[in-house]
């Protein structure tokens, strides 16, 4: 992997969420709350996808995304950390994050970093832990790998101011703006049913009509 001294193209900061959770016993019927792994598997996942010039770091807090909203001071600390990285030359940051409050965290960070951060920030999450593997069944791939791939690729080629803040989710890339206007509902129906039964479907997409890219590349699973 790249290192920060060699000015990697993308700095990945892992702040928690399902993407970093322990494997689900049944990926198609996810639990209401995910249990975090002791250490992230993002580095290994990126290597398997062929991303080498990327620096991966675990943030001091790796939590459920809703925790960052419940405790605003956590977001203040995260914003200060991002500003510090930027002052040290980091201009392209991908935050791996839980999906429940992913867009809300993005919007609030956008407000806190206004005029203090010169670069691009992507938010990336998934509904199945990376630890469940690349292939879930004969016909289903783990969306966390594709979203991670999309997030890194979008940052590598990011030049448009319109995409200064974005989210890689649902195998698409969305622009994050200050106002949530549309609710995303096109999840696989079997997963929707489980989430609804558990009261865990608070996902919102910001300006879903303004998709800035769909970069998902069908990559071969190196373990197959």
């Amino acid at each position: 992997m790249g290192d920060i001294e060699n000015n990697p193209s993308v700095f990945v900061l892992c702040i928690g969420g399902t993407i970093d959770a322990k494997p689900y016993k049944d990926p198609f019927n996810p639990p209401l709350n995910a249990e975090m792994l002791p250490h992230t598997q993002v580095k290994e996942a990126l290597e398997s996808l062929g991303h080498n010039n990327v620096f991966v770091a675990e943030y001091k807090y790796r939590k459920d995304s809703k925790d960052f909203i419940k405790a605003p001071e956590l977001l203040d600390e995260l914003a200060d950390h991002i500003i510090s990285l930027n002052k040290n030359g980091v201009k392209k940051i991908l935050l791996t994050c839980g999906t429940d409050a992913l867009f809300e965290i993005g919007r609030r960070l956008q407000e806190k970093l206004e005029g203090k951060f010169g670069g691009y920030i992507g938010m990336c999450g998934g509904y199945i832990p990376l630890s469940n593997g690349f292939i879930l069944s004969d016909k289903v791939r783990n969306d966390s790998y594709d979203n991670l791939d999309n997030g890194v690729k979008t940052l590598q080629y990011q030049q448009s101011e319109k995409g200064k803040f974005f989210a890689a989710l649902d195998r698409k890339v969305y622009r994050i703006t200050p106002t949530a206007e549309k609710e995303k509902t096109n999840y696989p129906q079997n997963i929707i049913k489980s989430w609804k039964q558990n009261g865990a479907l608070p996902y919102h997409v910001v300006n879903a009509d303004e998709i800035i890219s769909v970069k998902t590349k069908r990559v071969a699973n190196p373990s197959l």
Side-chain angles (χ1 to χ4, degrees):
M1 304 295 284
D3 57 75
I4 194 168
E5 291 80 8
N6 291 333
N7 191 27
S9 61
V10 176
F11 187 104
V12 181
L13 186 62
C14 306
I15 67 172
T18 295
I19 195 169
D20 256 352
K22 292 183 178 179
Y24 288 166
K25 291 182 179 179
D26 181 359
F28 299 103
N29 288 283
L32 184 58
N33 296 304
E35 184 179 354
M36 209 69 59
L37 283 169
H39 297 287
T40 183
Q41 291 192 354
V42 167
K43 178 180 177 180
E44 291 79 6
L46 286 170
E47 288 176 341
S48 74
L49 293 166
H51 295 295
N52 296 308
N53 190 29
V54 177
F55 181 86
V56 177
E58 292 183 1
Y59 186 51
K60 61 181 178 179
Y61 305 122
R62 290 169 60 241
K63 296 177 174 289
D64 186 296
S65 61
K66 297 185 292 295
D67 292 337
F68 286 90
I69 303 302
K70 294 175 183 176
E73 65 274 11
L74 294 180
L75 270 183
D76 290 337
E77 289 185 51
L78 179 59
D80 289 341
H81 185 66
I82 290 172
I83 291 170
S84 176
L85 288 173
N86 192 222
K87 288 180 178 179
N88 283 287
V90 178
K91 296 183 178 180
K92 296 181 178 183
I93 297 176
L94 183 66
L95 298 176
T96 60
C97 176
T99 55
D100 286 347
L102 184 148
F103 287 97
E104 185 62 25
I105 290 173
R107 286 192 295 273
R108 296 191 186 190
L109 281 177
Q110 192 173 32
E111 295 171 358
K112 294 177 183 294
L113 297 175
E114 181 68 30
K116 301 177 182 178
F117 177 81
Y120 301 95
I121 292 182
M123 308 288 297
C124 169
Y127 308 121
I128 306 297
L130 291 170
S131 56
N132 273 101
F134 186 84
I135 302 295
L136 303 178
S137 71
D138 291 343
K139 297 182 179 180
V140 181
R141 289 163 27 128
N142 189 335
D143 73 299
S144 291
Y145 282 81
D146 288 333
N147 295 333
L148 190 61
D149 191 31
N150 273 354
V152 170
K153 287 177 180 176
T154 301
L155 279 170
Q156 287 174 333
Y157 300 105
Q158 188 64 266
Q159 294 179 346
S160 169
E161 283 297 312
K162 293 181 179 179
K164 197 166 186 178
F165 273 76
F166 70 87
L169 198 65
D170 296 336
R171 297 184 171 94
K172 299 181 178 67
V173 179
Y174 300 95
R175 185 177 308 154
I176 293 181
T177 61
T179 304
E181 297 180 353
K182 297 194 175 183
E183 184 173 353
K184 192 77 173 171
T185 57
N186 64 344
Y187 300 106
Q189 291 301 311
N190 56 343
I191 294 182
I192 286 182
K193 182 178 179 181
S194 174
W195 282 336
K196 285 184 176 178
Q197 287 173 345
N198 290 300
L201 190 64
Y203 304 106
H204 291 270
V205 168
V206 177
N207 284 353
D209 57 327
E210 295 184 347
I211 297 173
I212 57 175
S213 63
V214 181
K215 292 180 174 291
T216 301
K217 178 183 178 182
R218 295 293 176 180
V219 293
N221 181 3
S223 65
L224 294 180

